[in-house]
Amino acid sequence: MVPGQAVLEGLAPAAGTGAQRAPVVEARDLSLIFQTPDAPVTALSDINLTIRRGDFVSLIGPSGCGKTTLMRVVADLARQTSGTLLVNGGSAEQARLDRAYGYVFQAPALYPWRSIERNIMLPLEIMGMSKAERRERAARYLDLVGLKGFERKFPWQLSGGMQQRVSIARALSFEPALLLMDEPFGALDEITRDNLNVHLLRLWEKTGITVIFVTHSIPEAVFLSSKIVVMSPRPGRILEVIDSDLPTDRDLDARETPEFLEIAHRVRVALRAGHSYD
Amino acid sequence: MTDAVLGGVAVPAVRKRAQDGVVLPVLTVLAVLLAVWYVAAVWLNAPQVTEQLNRGGTDWGVSRLVAGTWAMERPVLPAPHQVAVELYDSVFGRPVTSKRSLVYHAQVTLSATVAGFALGLALGVLLAIGIVHVTVLDRSLMPWIIASQTIPILAIAPMIVVVLGNLGFTGLLPKAIISGYLSFFPIAIGMVKGLRSPDPLQLDLMRTYSATDAQTFAKLRWPSSMSFLFPSLKVAIALSLVGAIVAELPTGAQAGLGARLLAGSYYGQTIQIWAALFMSAFLAVAAVGAVGLAERGLTRLRGGRL
């Protein structure tokens, strides 16, 4: 059993099914051009994408394909130069101001002077929660990521994988309906990564949270996602969107099944198509 | 000498350091310095002593010369033991309220140092906050801050004292202002760097929480700056002391280590000057040590890393 599984019972499951589910992110002809000293760089070109409530969407592609940039635009950490983007039906800025999403960065980005518990309490402090509530939530989400008992430790006393789990707990602590994860497991060893993938999948099933997940690992994308968005660089664009219908209660062994391998193959073919330089 | 020092402070920390090989090198350096000092005292005081001995008419040898150079009333360079005796007498031998007590003078200078340090800290931190948050201040203030430190303090100190004296401010305030004038600089520079030290990821995180500028400051910029602030504070408090002493020179102050130094040089009391110099060195060590203690306290609160 996943540590802290019981605490998830209280969270609302995804509403509706299939195409009826409300769109969380809608991008129409979205483009972003960075002005650099030598030449403008097209980071995103004509992105059209709809992400619905309860989706687990992976953005996959080689470095420089704009997957992180797309996520930063959704998070209102960067702004598109043309096209429209709706997050929860409003602007990305409004969604940020509403604290509608939790963001997990490539690096844990923990504040080294705060204990683990106080790192998780950081967003809760900013959002003005009472001390008792902050305590309770920190304990709940530390338990959820399997780090009960580490409250008083400091970031440097934890391994990289543990630190990243703390940063996930921090993003979940204020219970956003949308979780943005930018290669959160990219710097971790494969064993830790597998373990965290299973954790994340269980979390998603239980909570019905919408997840956008950036990765450049095909197995990771196929294992986690309900929808895989294959992107290609120069300019950053979407090549193909592949729906995945693997059983929801899948475990790591699912990666050996023909269904899994078939989807992985389709992703690989799409990636290769975008990577032909001739 | 060596035995006495080791025997006198044989506390566990020192014993551990001795095992680490710290105490022996330090004592060796001290012994070499003392030896050089004694030789220099002989060399510098010899002409006067020779003249005196010649005037005495009797025969004299090297031993009388050496003894003479180490026991003069107004030597060019007093011997270490003379300074030590003067230091001991003027610290322990007189009531602390006496104008001849070094403790009295040290306390006068220390209060100006602490007041100046507080001024410098407030000014330095406020300037840094302004510079980091207001682009106009960043462009306009920095050159002036740097220019302020290119003016020799010895040149500007008398002006400050005269102007403030005319306005009716005497005593502690002019000294504290001169002291603060020196100490705000490293604090401002350190704090600007410290407040700008959060990396883009840490700042992005605050943005995803749609934190206000005040929250970002209180929860990210300020705590990040502490590891930059403390080294600056150590420099600043030493400069505060220098400023306080310098401020006592042109004022004709009656009290303070600066006044003591000045009086010593008027009357050729070199032993008194050296004793005051050592006293100010001890003050500086104690002041920097106090900042170090505060740093240790904060480091402990942060789980062992600042």
mmCIF file of all heavy atoms in Angstrom, chain A residues 72 76-77 96-97 99 101 103 105 107 109 111 113 122-123 125-126 154 156 170 174, chain B residues 201-212 215 219-220 223-224 301-305:
data_model
loop_
_atom_site.group_PDB
_atom_site.id
_atom_site.type_symbol
_atom_site.label_atom_id
_atom_site.label_comp_id
_atom_site.label_asym_id
_atom_site.label_seq_id
_atom_site.Cartn_x
_atom_site.Cartn_y
_atom_site.Cartn_z
ATOM 1 N N ARG A 72 5.295 26.720 -18.862
ATOM 2 C CA ARG A 72 5.485 28.022 -18.200
ATOM 3 C C ARG A 72 4.431 29.025 -18.660
ATOM 4 O O ARG A 72 4.025 29.895 -17.892
ATOM 5 C CB ARG A 72 6.893 28.565 -18.477
ATOM 6 C CG ARG A 72 7.979 27.804 -17.714
ATOM 7 C CD ARG A 72 9.374 28.333 -18.035
ATOM 8 N NE ARG A 72 9.545 29.697 -17.572
ATOM 9 C CZ ARG A 72 9.907 30.041 -16.334
ATOM 10 N NH1 ARG A 72 10.138 29.088 -15.441
ATOM 11 N NH2 ARG A 72 10.034 31.296 -15.992
ATOM 12 N N ASP A 76 1.630 30.972 -16.395
ATOM 13 C CA ASP A 76 1.800 32.427 -16.393
ATOM 14 C C ASP A 76 3.184 32.833 -15.867
ATOM 15 O O ASP A 76 3.349 33.865 -15.241
ATOM 16 C CB ASP A 76 0.690 33.119 -15.584
ATOM 17 C CG ASP A 76 0.706 34.640 -15.772
ATOM 18 O OD1 ASP A 76 0.937 35.077 -16.904
ATOM 19 O OD2 ASP A 76 0.495 35.365 -14.780
ATOM 20 N N LEU A 77 4.167 31.969 -16.118
ATOM 21 C CA LEU A 77 5.558 32.347 -15.815
ATOM 22 C C LEU A 77 6.216 32.893 -17.075
ATOM 23 O O LEU A 77 7.302 33.460 -17.033
ATOM 24 C CB LEU A 77 6.350 31.135 -15.292
ATOM 25 C CG LEU A 77 5.883 30.572 -13.940
ATOM 26 C CD1 LEU A 77 6.652 29.305 -13.596
ATOM 27 C CD2 LEU A 77 6.023 31.603 -12.840
ATOM 28 N N ARG A 96 -3.292 31.870 -12.152
ATOM 29 C CA ARG A 96 -2.175 31.973 -11.208
ATOM 30 C C ARG A 96 -2.603 32.739 -9.963
ATOM 31 O O ARG A 96 -2.317 32.333 -8.834
ATOM 32 C CB ARG A 96 -0.987 32.658 -11.876
ATOM 33 C CG ARG A 96 0.209 32.827 -10.949
ATOM 34 C CD ARG A 96 1.422 33.392 -11.677
ATOM 35 N NE ARG A 96 1.221 34.744 -12.140
ATOM 36 C CZ ARG A 96 1.348 35.844 -11.365
ATOM 37 N NH1 ARG A 96 1.666 35.710 -10.098
ATOM 38 N NH2 ARG A 96 1.137 37.045 -11.857
ATOM 39 N N LEU A 97 -3.312 33.847 -10.199
ATOM 40 C CA LEU A 97 -3.761 34.646 -9.056
ATOM 41 C C LEU A 97 -4.730 33.845 -8.182
ATOM 42 O O LEU A 97 -4.765 34.023 -6.960
ATOM 43 C CB LEU A 97 -4.416 35.941 -9.531
ATOM 44 C CG LEU A 97 -3.456 36.913 -10.244
ATOM 45 C CD1 LEU A 97 -4.199 38.137 -10.754
ATOM 46 C CD2 LEU A 97 -2.321 37.341 -9.311
ATOM 47 N N ARG A 99 -4.412 30.838 -7.615
ATOM 48 C CA ARG A 99 -3.622 29.704 -7.103
ATOM 49 C C ARG A 99 -4.253 28.375 -7.522
ATOM 50 O O ARG A 99 -4.487 27.484 -6.700
ATOM 51 C CB ARG A 99 -3.514 29.782 -5.581
ATOM 52 C CG ARG A 99 -2.629 30.951 -5.167
ATOM 53 C CD ARG A 99 -3.056 31.587 -3.896
ATOM 54 N NE ARG A 99 -2.097 32.620 -3.490
ATOM 55 C CZ ARG A 99 -2.344 33.520 -2.556
ATOM 56 N NH1 ARG A 99 -3.491 33.521 -1.910
ATOM 57 N NH2 ARG A 99 -1.440 34.422 -2.257
ATOM 58 N N TYR A 101 -3.062 26.164 -9.607
ATOM 59 C CA TYR A 101 -2.179 25.038 -9.930
ATOM 60 C C TYR A 101 -1.015 24.944 -8.941
ATOM 61 O O TYR A 101 -0.644 25.928 -8.299
ATOM 62 C CB TYR A 101 -1.621 25.189 -11.357
ATOM 63 C CG TYR A 101 -0.718 26.380 -11.529
ATOM 64 C CD1 TYR A 101 0.630 26.313 -11.163
ATOM 65 C CD2 TYR A 101 -1.191 27.591 -12.037
ATOM 66 C CE1 TYR A 101 1.460 27.404 -11.290
ATOM 67 C CE2 TYR A 101 -0.358 28.685 -12.172
ATOM 68 C CZ TYR A 101 0.958 28.591 -11.794
ATOM 69 O OH TYR A 101 1.779 29.667 -11.912
ATOM 70 N N TYR A 103 3.050 23.797 -8.936
ATOM 71 C CA TYR A 103 4.114 23.622 -9.929
ATOM 72 C C TYR A 103 5.261 22.852 -9.282
ATOM 73 O O TYR A 103 5.740 23.224 -8.219
ATOM 74 C CB TYR A 103 4.600 24.998 -10.394
ATOM 75 C CG TYR A 103 5.265 25.030 -11.757
ATOM 76 C CD1 TYR A 103 4.688 25.695 -12.815
ATOM 77 C CD2 TYR A 103 6.482 24.403 -11.973
ATOM 78 C CE1 TYR A 103 5.290 25.744 -14.071
ATOM 79 C CE2 TYR A 103 7.088 24.437 -13.225
ATOM 80 C CZ TYR A 103 6.482 25.113 -14.269
ATOM 81 O OH TYR A 103 7.075 25.155 -15.498
ATOM 82 N N PHE A 105 9.066 21.863 -10.036
ATOM 83 C CA PHE A 105 10.146 22.198 -10.961
ATOM 84 C C PHE A 105 11.102 21.024 -11.149
ATOM 85 O O PHE A 105 11.060 20.032 -10.417
ATOM 86 C CB PHE A 105 10.937 23.400 -10.431
ATOM 87 C CG PHE A 105 10.135 24.674 -10.389
ATOM 88 C CD1 PHE A 105 9.440 25.027 -9.246
ATOM 89 C CD2 PHE A 105 10.062 25.502 -11.485
ATOM 90 C CE1 PHE A 105 8.693 26.195 -9.200
ATOM 91 C CE2 PHE A 105 9.324 26.670 -11.456
ATOM 92 C CZ PHE A 105 8.631 27.022 -10.315
ATOM 93 N N ALA A 107 14.236 20.980 -10.459
ATOM 94 C CA ALA A 107 14.980 20.859 -9.197
ATOM 95 C C ALA A 107 13.986 21.043 -8.056
ATOM 96 O O ALA A 107 12.952 21.680 -8.241
ATOM 97 C CB ALA A 107 16.066 21.917 -9.146
ATOM 98 N N ALA A 109 13.966 22.930 -5.532
ATOM 99 C CA ALA A 109 13.753 24.347 -5.164
ATOM 100 C C ALA A 109 13.226 24.500 -3.750
ATOM 101 O O ALA A 109 12.335 25.297 -3.482
ATOM 102 C CB ALA A 109 12.835 25.050 -6.167
ATOM 103 N N TYR A 111 13.684 25.711 0.127
ATOM 104 C CA TYR A 111 14.423 26.799 0.743
ATOM 105 C C TYR A 111 15.311 26.208 1.844
ATOM 106 O O TYR A 111 14.801 25.655 2.814
ATOM 107 C CB TYR A 111 13.459 27.851 1.298
ATOM 108 C CG TYR A 111 12.733 28.654 0.237
ATOM 109 C CD1 TYR A 111 12.932 28.383 -1.111
ATOM 110 C CD2 TYR A 111 11.878 29.677 0.574
ATOM 111 C CE1 TYR A 111 12.280 29.114 -2.096
ATOM 112 C CE2 TYR A 111 11.217 30.424 -0.403
ATOM 113 C CZ TYR A 111 11.419 30.131 -1.731
ATOM 114 O OH TYR A 111 10.775 30.855 -2.695
ATOM 115 N N TRP A 113 16.962 27.170 4.320
ATOM 116 C CA TRP A 113 16.927 27.605 5.710
ATOM 117 C C TRP A 113 15.656 27.150 6.411
ATOM 118 O O TRP A 113 15.481 27.386 7.591
ATOM 119 C CB TRP A 113 17.047 29.127 5.797
ATOM 120 C CG TRP A 113 16.022 29.836 4.980
ATOM 121 C CD1 TRP A 113 14.757 30.165 5.375
ATOM 122 C CD2 TRP A 113 16.149 30.274 3.636
ATOM 123 N NE1 TRP A 113 14.094 30.773 4.349
ATOM 124 C CE2 TRP A 113 14.929 30.868 3.266
ATOM 125 C CE3 TRP A 113 17.194 30.230 2.706
ATOM 126 C CZ2 TRP A 113 14.703 31.401 2.005
ATOM 127 C CZ3 TRP A 113 16.963 30.774 1.449
ATOM 128 C CH2 TRP A 113 15.738 31.350 1.105
ATOM 129 N N LEU A 122 5.255 26.604 3.380
ATOM 130 C CA LEU A 122 5.497 27.898 2.719
ATOM 131 C C LEU A 122 4.282 28.410 1.937
ATOM 132 O O LEU A 122 3.810 29.519 2.189
ATOM 133 C CB LEU A 122 6.741 27.794 1.825
ATOM 134 C CG LEU A 122 7.064 29.033 0.996
ATOM 135 C CD1 LEU A 122 7.585 30.160 1.881
ATOM 136 C CD2 LEU A 122 8.100 28.704 -0.076
ATOM 137 N N PRO A 123 3.722 27.607 0.992
ATOM 138 C CA PRO A 123 2.555 28.136 0.260
ATOM 139 C C PRO A 123 1.367 28.374 1.187
ATOM 140 O O PRO A 123 0.591 29.304 0.966
ATOM 141 C CB PRO A 123 2.251 27.039 -0.769
ATOM 142 C CG PRO A 123 2.966 25.832 -0.313
ATOM 143 C CD PRO A 123 4.143 26.293 0.482
ATOM 144 N N GLU A 125 1.471 29.341 4.295
ATOM 145 C CA GLU A 125 1.687 30.627 4.983
ATOM 146 C C GLU A 125 1.290 31.777 4.065
ATOM 147 O O GLU A 125 0.613 32.715 4.480
ATOM 148 C CB GLU A 125 3.175 30.800 5.334
ATOM 149 C CG GLU A 125 3.620 30.075 6.581
ATOM 150 C CD GLU A 125 5.140 30.128 6.734
ATOM 151 O OE1 GLU A 125 5.760 31.113 6.284
ATOM 152 O OE2 GLU A 125 5.707 29.173 7.291
ATOM 153 N N ILE A 126 1.732 31.675 2.809
ATOM 154 C CA ILE A 126 1.456 32.761 1.858
ATOM 155 C C ILE A 126 -0.048 32.889 1.623
ATOM 156 O O ILE A 126 -0.568 33.977 1.470
ATOM 157 C CB ILE A 126 2.236 32.515 0.549
ATOM 158 C CG1 ILE A 126 3.719 32.749 0.808
ATOM 159 C CG2 ILE A 126 1.735 33.405 -0.577
ATOM 160 C CD1 ILE A 126 4.628 32.318 -0.288
ATOM 161 N N PHE A 154 16.431 19.112 7.595
ATOM 162 C CA PHE A 154 16.619 20.209 6.655
ATOM 163 C C PHE A 154 16.939 19.624 5.280
ATOM 164 O O PHE A 154 17.435 18.504 5.196
ATOM 165 C CB PHE A 154 17.727 21.142 7.159
ATOM 166 C CG PHE A 154 17.228 22.063 8.248
ATOM 167 C CD1 PHE A 154 17.109 21.610 9.547
ATOM 168 C CD2 PHE A 154 16.825 23.346 7.951
ATOM 169 C CE1 PHE A 154 16.608 22.436 10.547
ATOM 170 C CE2 PHE A 154 16.324 24.176 8.935
ATOM 171 C CZ PHE A 154 16.222 23.723 10.234
ATOM 172 N N TRP A 156 19.221 19.724 3.069
ATOM 173 C CA TRP A 156 20.522 19.120 2.760
ATOM 174 C C TRP A 156 20.728 17.768 3.438
ATOM 175 O O TRP A 156 21.639 17.030 3.089
ATOM 176 C CB TRP A 156 21.660 20.073 3.130
ATOM 177 C CG TRP A 156 21.654 20.517 4.568
ATOM 178 C CD1 TRP A 156 20.962 21.564 5.086
ATOM 179 C CD2 TRP A 156 22.357 19.930 5.654
ATOM 180 N NE1 TRP A 156 21.197 21.666 6.431
ATOM 181 C CE2 TRP A 156 22.055 20.678 6.813
ATOM 182 C CE3 TRP A 156 23.240 18.835 5.772
ATOM 183 C CZ2 TRP A 156 22.579 20.359 8.073
ATOM 184 C CZ3 TRP A 156 23.770 18.531 7.019
ATOM 185 C CH2 TRP A 156 23.433 19.296 8.147
ATOM 186 N N ARG A 170 4.799 19.724 -1.266
ATOM 187 C CA ARG A 170 4.584 21.165 -1.154
ATOM 188 C C ARG A 170 3.575 21.635 -2.209
ATOM 189 O O ARG A 170 2.697 22.442 -1.921
ATOM 190 C CB ARG A 170 5.927 21.881 -1.344
ATOM 191 C CG ARG A 170 5.860 23.395 -1.210
ATOM 192 C CD ARG A 170 7.218 24.022 -1.435
ATOM 193 N NE ARG A 170 7.761 23.670 -2.752
ATOM 194 C CZ ARG A 170 8.997 23.951 -3.144
ATOM 195 N NH1 ARG A 170 9.834 24.564 -2.334
ATOM 196 N NH2 ARG A 170 9.414 23.589 -4.339
ATOM 197 N N PHE A 174 -1.636 22.641 -0.897
ATOM 198 C CA PHE A 174 -2.788 23.552 -0.931
ATOM 199 C C PHE A 174 -3.883 23.031 -1.851
ATOM 200 O O PHE A 174 -4.801 23.754 -2.207
ATOM 201 C CB PHE A 174 -2.358 24.985 -1.278
ATOM 202 C CG PHE A 174 -1.597 25.141 -2.564
ATOM 203 C CD1 PHE A 174 -2.243 25.547 -3.715
ATOM 204 C CD2 PHE A 174 -0.235 24.912 -2.612
ATOM 205 C CE1 PHE A 174 -1.543 25.710 -4.903
ATOM 206 C CE2 PHE A 174 0.475 25.067 -3.793
ATOM 207 C CZ PHE A 174 -0.183 25.463 -4.944
ATOM 208 N N LEU B 201 14.530 29.963 -9.993
ATOM 209 C CA LEU B 201 13.579 28.911 -9.614
ATOM 210 C C LEU B 201 12.862 29.273 -8.317
ATOM 211 O O LEU B 201 11.638 29.149 -8.188
ATOM 212 C CB LEU B 201 14.363 27.603 -9.431
ATOM 213 C CG LEU B 201 13.684 26.325 -9.869
ATOM 214 C CD1 LEU B 201 13.235 26.423 -11.306
ATOM 215 C CD2 LEU B 201 14.626 25.148 -9.687
ATOM 216 N N GLN B 202 13.649 29.740 -7.328
ATOM 217 C CA GLN B 202 13.063 30.107 -6.033
ATOM 218 C C GLN B 202 12.097 31.284 -6.193
ATOM 219 O O GLN B 202 11.074 31.348 -5.515
ATOM 220 C CB GLN B 202 14.171 30.464 -5.039
ATOM 221 C CG GLN B 202 15.015 29.263 -4.640
ATOM 222 C CD GLN B 202 16.178 29.645 -3.753
ATOM 223 O OE1 GLN B 202 16.794 30.694 -3.925
ATOM 224 N NE2 GLN B 202 16.508 28.794 -2.797
ATOM 225 N N LEU B 203 12.439 32.195 -7.123
ATOM 226 C CA LEU B 203 11.557 33.340 -7.365
ATOM 227 C C LEU B 203 10.303 32.912 -8.123
ATOM 228 O O LEU B 203 9.199 33.360 -7.813
ATOM 229 C CB LEU B 203 12.313 34.420 -8.150
ATOM 230 C CG LEU B 203 13.332 35.204 -7.324
ATOM 231 C CD1 LEU B 203 14.282 35.962 -8.226
ATOM 232 C CD2 LEU B 203 12.629 36.167 -6.378
ATOM 233 N N ASP B 204 10.477 32.015 -9.122
ATOM 234 C CA ASP B 204 9.326 31.488 -9.862
ATOM 235 C C ASP B 204 8.339 30.816 -8.920
ATOM 236 O O ASP B 204 7.127 30.936 -9.073
ATOM 237 C CB ASP B 204 9.791 30.462 -10.909
ATOM 238 C CG ASP B 204 10.227 31.127 -12.214
ATOM 239 O OD1 ASP B 204 9.964 32.333 -12.365
ATOM 240 O OD2 ASP B 204 10.818 30.438 -13.053
ATOM 241 N N LEU B 205 8.882 30.105 -7.948
ATOM 242 C CA LEU B 205 8.027 29.401 -6.987
ATOM 243 C C LEU B 205 7.097 30.397 -6.298
ATOM 244 O O LEU B 205 5.886 30.167 -6.184
ATOM 245 C CB LEU B 205 8.897 28.676 -5.967
ATOM 246 C CG LEU B 205 8.162 27.747 -5.009
ATOM 247 C CD1 LEU B 205 7.628 26.540 -5.749
ATOM 248 C CD2 LEU B 205 9.064 27.306 -3.873
ATOM 249 N N MET B 206 7.669 31.528 -5.870
ATOM 250 C CA MET B 206 6.870 32.556 -5.212
ATOM 251 C C MET B 206 5.796 33.087 -6.159
ATOM 252 O O MET B 206 4.683 33.387 -5.747
ATOM 253 C CB MET B 206 7.771 33.709 -4.769
ATOM 254 C CG MET B 206 8.481 33.427 -3.470
ATOM 255 S SD MET B 206 7.267 33.296 -2.147
ATOM 256 C CE MET B 206 8.319 32.936 -0.765
ATOM 257 N N ARG B 207 6.165 33.194 -7.446
ATOM 258 C CA ARG B 207 5.214 33.704 -8.429
ATOM 259 C C ARG B 207 4.054 32.713 -8.603
ATOM 260 O O ARG B 207 2.902 33.127 -8.731
ATOM 261 C CB ARG B 207 5.937 33.922 -9.757
ATOM 262 C CG ARG B 207 5.234 34.889 -10.671
ATOM 263 C CD ARG B 207 6.121 35.205 -11.875
ATOM 264 N NE ARG B 207 5.309 35.339 -13.076
ATOM 265 C CZ ARG B 207 4.603 36.432 -13.375
ATOM 266 N NH1 ARG B 207 4.627 37.461 -12.577
ATOM 267 N NH2 ARG B 207 3.885 36.477 -14.472
ATOM 268 N N THR B 208 4.360 31.414 -8.592
ATOM 269 C CA THR B 208 3.268 30.439 -8.748
ATOM 270 C C THR B 208 2.299 30.513 -7.576
ATOM 271 O O THR B 208 1.144 30.138 -7.708
ATOM 272 C CB THR B 208 3.772 28.982 -8.881
ATOM 273 O OG1 THR B 208 4.334 28.559 -7.638
ATOM 274 C CG2 THR B 208 4.797 28.828 -9.987
ATOM 275 N N TYR B 209 2.776 30.973 -6.421
ATOM 276 C CA TYR B 209 1.871 31.139 -5.271
ATOM 277 C C TYR B 209 1.194 32.504 -5.314
ATOM 278 O O TYR B 209 0.490 32.865 -4.379
ATOM 279 C CB TYR B 209 2.637 31.016 -3.952
ATOM 280 C CG TYR B 209 3.352 29.701 -3.747
ATOM 281 C CD1 TYR B 209 4.543 29.644 -3.036
ATOM 282 C CD2 TYR B 209 2.846 28.517 -4.253
ATOM 283 C CE1 TYR B 209 5.211 28.448 -2.842
ATOM 284 C CE2 TYR B 209 3.505 27.323 -4.072
ATOM 285 C CZ TYR B 209 4.687 27.298 -3.370
ATOM 286 O OH TYR B 209 5.349 26.119 -3.180
ATOM 287 N N SER B 210 1.422 33.269 -6.396
ATOM 288 C CA SER B 210 1.038 34.681 -6.501
ATOM 289 C C SER B 210 1.271 35.408 -5.182
ATOM 290 O O SER B 210 0.394 36.070 -4.639
ATOM 291 C CB SER B 210 -0.390 34.853 -7.024
ATOM 292 O OG SER B 210 -1.336 34.342 -6.154
ATOM 293 N N ALA B 211 2.518 35.273 -4.707
ATOM 294 C CA ALA B 211 2.922 35.959 -3.474
ATOM 295 C C ALA B 211 3.108 37.451 -3.762
ATOM 296 O O ALA B 211 3.502 37.822 -4.864
ATOM 297 C CB ALA B 211 4.228 35.373 -2.957
ATOM 298 N N THR B 212 2.804 38.293 -2.781
ATOM 299 C CA THR B 212 3.038 39.726 -2.945
ATOM 300 C C THR B 212 4.538 40.003 -2.835
ATOM 301 O O THR B 212 5.303 39.149 -2.370
ATOM 302 C CB THR B 212 2.331 40.524 -1.848
ATOM 303 O OG1 THR B 212 2.888 40.123 -0.589
ATOM 304 C CG2 THR B 212 0.836 40.246 -1.835
ATOM 305 N N GLN B 215 5.657 39.582 0.649
ATOM 306 C CA GLN B 215 5.822 38.176 1.053
ATOM 307 C C GLN B 215 7.101 37.588 0.469
ATOM 308 O O GLN B 215 7.821 36.867 1.151
ATOM 309 C CB GLN B 215 4.613 37.355 0.588
ATOM 310 C CG GLN B 215 3.362 37.596 1.426
ATOM 311 C CD GLN B 215 2.138 36.917 0.855
ATOM 312 O OE1 GLN B 215 1.988 36.803 -0.363
ATOM 313 N NE2 GLN B 215 1.265 36.460 1.724
ATOM 314 N N LYS B 219 9.839 36.139 2.973
ATOM 315 C CA LYS B 219 9.998 34.688 3.031
ATOM 316 C C LYS B 219 11.111 34.161 2.145
ATOM 317 O O LYS B 219 11.520 33.017 2.276
ATOM 318 C CB LYS B 219 8.680 34.005 2.664
ATOM 319 C CG LYS B 219 7.581 34.381 3.641
ATOM 320 C CD LYS B 219 6.424 33.435 3.615
ATOM 321 C CE LYS B 219 5.309 33.924 4.507
ATOM 322 N NZ LYS B 219 5.711 33.978 5.923
ATOM 323 N N LEU B 220 11.593 35.006 1.227
ATOM 324 C CA LEU B 220 12.664 34.525 0.343
ATOM 325 C C LEU B 220 13.892 35.436 0.358
ATOM 326 O O LEU B 220 14.977 35.003 0.731
ATOM 327 C CB LEU B 220 12.137 34.382 -1.092
ATOM 328 C CG LEU B 220 13.183 33.972 -2.134
ATOM 329 C CD1 LEU B 220 13.850 32.661 -1.753
ATOM 330 C CD2 LEU B 220 12.550 33.851 -3.512
ATOM 331 N N PRO B 223 15.545 36.028 4.144
ATOM 332 C CA PRO B 223 16.294 34.871 4.661
ATOM 333 C C PRO B 223 17.487 34.485 3.786
ATOM 334 O O PRO B 223 18.509 34.047 4.307
ATOM 335 C CB PRO B 223 15.259 33.737 4.697
ATOM 336 C CG PRO B 223 13.964 34.298 4.285
ATOM 337 C CD PRO B 223 14.112 35.737 3.948
ATOM 338 N N SER B 224 17.379 34.659 2.448
ATOM 339 C CA SER B 224 18.526 34.320 1.585
ATOM 340 C C SER B 224 19.709 35.228 1.850
ATOM 341 O O SER B 224 20.846 34.845 1.613
ATOM 342 C CB SER B 224 18.194 34.506 0.100
ATOM 343 O OG SER B 224 17.044 33.856 -0.240
ATOM 344 N N LEU B 301 19.606 27.732 14.496
ATOM 345 C CA LEU B 301 18.161 27.750 14.209
ATOM 346 C C LEU B 301 17.861 27.158 12.839
ATOM 347 O O LEU B 301 16.796 26.595 12.610
ATOM 348 C CB LEU B 301 17.642 29.191 14.242
ATOM 349 C CG LEU B 301 17.288 29.761 15.608
ATOM 350 C CD1 LEU B 301 16.773 31.175 15.445
ATOM 351 C CD2 LEU B 301 16.262 28.886 16.308
ATOM 352 N N ARG B 302 18.823 27.297 11.934
ATOM 353 C CA ARG B 302 18.612 26.819 10.574
ATOM 354 C C ARG B 302 19.154 25.411 10.383
ATOM 355 O O ARG B 302 19.455 25.016 9.252
ATOM 356 C CB ARG B 302 19.281 27.776 9.588
ATOM 357 C CG ARG B 302 18.568 29.096 9.496
ATOM 358 C CD ARG B 302 19.288 30.013 8.570
ATOM 359 N NE ARG B 302 18.458 31.149 8.205
ATOM 360 C CZ ARG B 302 18.705 31.918 7.161
ATOM 361 N NH1 ARG B 302 19.745 31.685 6.409
ATOM 362 N NH2 ARG B 302 17.918 32.915 6.879
ATOM 363 N N GLY B 303 19.336 24.704 11.458
ATOM 364 C CA GLY B 303 19.709 23.300 11.357
ATOM 365 C C GLY B 303 21.154 23.072 10.995
ATOM 366 O O GLY B 303 21.522 22.001 10.533
ATOM 367 N N GLY B 304 22.013 24.080 11.200
ATOM 368 C CA GLY B 304 23.446 23.855 11.024
ATOM 369 C C GLY B 304 24.051 24.472 9.785
ATOM 370 O O GLY B 304 25.243 24.360 9.557
ATOM 371 N N ARG B 305 23.215 25.115 8.959
ATOM 372 C CA ARG B 305 23.773 25.813 7.793
ATOM 373 C C ARG B 305 23.137 27.170 7.666
ATOM 374 O O ARG B 305 21.939 27.313 7.863
ATOM 375 C CB ARG B 305 23.499 25.024 6.502
ATOM 376 C CG ARG B 305 24.388 23.817 6.405
ATOM 377 C CD ARG B 305 24.310 23.181 5.057
ATOM 378 N NE ARG B 305 25.063 21.925 5.112
ATOM 379 C CZ ARG B 305 25.243 21.122 4.085
ATOM 380 N NH1 ARG B 305 24.732 21.442 2.929
ATOM 381 N NH2 ARG B 305 25.926 20.012 4.211
#
